[in-house]
Structure formats: structure tokens, C-alpha cells
Amino acid sequence: MADIETMQATGTVAEAMDRLEAAVTEAGATVFARVDHGGGAEQAGMTLADSELLIFGNPQLGTPVMQEDPLAGLYLPLKILAYDDGSGQVHIAYEEVEETFDDLDVDDDLDAIEKMENALEKFARAAAGE
């Protein structure tokens, strides 16, 4: 999965997501949703290791991308996943921004793309506890 960046995190999935949510909010971005995949599985009578997804964005970065190709709205806002691999180790994962828009009419050199990439890496490191 070359298009997916992953790193190990300290603590639990919930702790990693709390750190992530705080970093996103401190940066002035908007948190749209925090999805508890593990909780959803439990409600369905199934088991799944802890897994949460944070959906967040910043219109100052997303809008220029969507102006180039409205289909970018299928991939925005951005997302970061925190999950337990089943052995108790928590990981942070996100898709590389440049790869996300590869099939769209979006210039890879667009300033917003680099800013999104930098923000995702910064937020992922915060979630990991680095």
C-alpha cells in the first residue's frame, strides 16, 4: 500500500484520536466527524479491534483543489485513521494527498496540495504521540 502512510502510535486508539482532534482544532481546521468503527461493529453484534476515523478540513485548502476539479469533493474533507492491529499496537494511517487526487484534473504542484500533505503529516505525528 504505497499510497498509504502509516506510523506506530503510543497509547490507545482513543488517546491517539484525542491528540489528533486537539492538533486539528489547534491548527484552526474544522472537525466534521469522529467515526468509531469498533463501536459500530459492537452495536451490530460483531467484534472489531478499536478503530476510529477523524474527518476534518479547512476550506482555504480544500476549495482551491475543488475549483480545479469538483470531483475532489468525493475525497475531501481529509481523513486520518487510528486502529489497533489486534495485538495491542496502535497505528495511524492516512492516504498521501498527491495520490488521492491522481485520477482527477488537479495539478500536483498546486500550493494547497503541499499544504495538505504537510498538515496530514503534522497531525499524524501528533496523533502518534511524537
Side-chain angles (χ1 to χ4, degrees):
M1 293 189 297
D3 300 346
I4 305 291
E5 293 289 331
T6 61
M7 60 184 70
Q8 290 186 350
T10 60
T12 66
V13 167
E15 290 167 344
M17 290 304 285
D18 289 346
R19 290 190 298 262
L20 174 59
E21 196 166 350
V24 167
T25 302
E26 286 174 22
T30 301
V31 172
F32 294 108
R34 184 168 167 171
V35 180
D36 182 355
H37 292 304
E42 188 176 319
Q43 288 179 343
M46 304 171 80
T47 58
L48 180 69
D50 285 345
S51 176
E52 292 188 32
L53 179 76
L54 194 73
I55 302 169
F56 59 91
N58 180 336
Q60 292 181 324
L61 297 180
T63 301
V65 177
M66 291 176 64
Q67 286 171 332
E68 288 221 346
D69 190 333
L71 291 176
L74 288 170
Y75 305 99
L76 294 172
L78 297 173
K79 302 165 222 42
I80 293 181
L81 178 71
Y83 68 96
D84 183 315
D85 65 9
S87 72
Q89 177 60 58
V90 174
H91 300 271
I92 305 300
Y94 62 92
E95 185 172 21
E96 294 176 4
V97 175
E98 192 174 305
E99 301 297 327
T100 300
F101 303 118
D102 253 4
D103 294 333
L104 303 181
D105 192 20
V106 175
D107 184 354
D108 286 349
D109 295 327
L110 189 67
D111 189 43
I113 298 294
E114 183 176 350
K115 287 180 179 177
M116 283 181 188
E117 287 173 349
N118 292 339
L120 275 175
E121 182 177 354
K122 175 185 167 186
F123 295 152
R125 290 191 182 285
E130 293 184 6

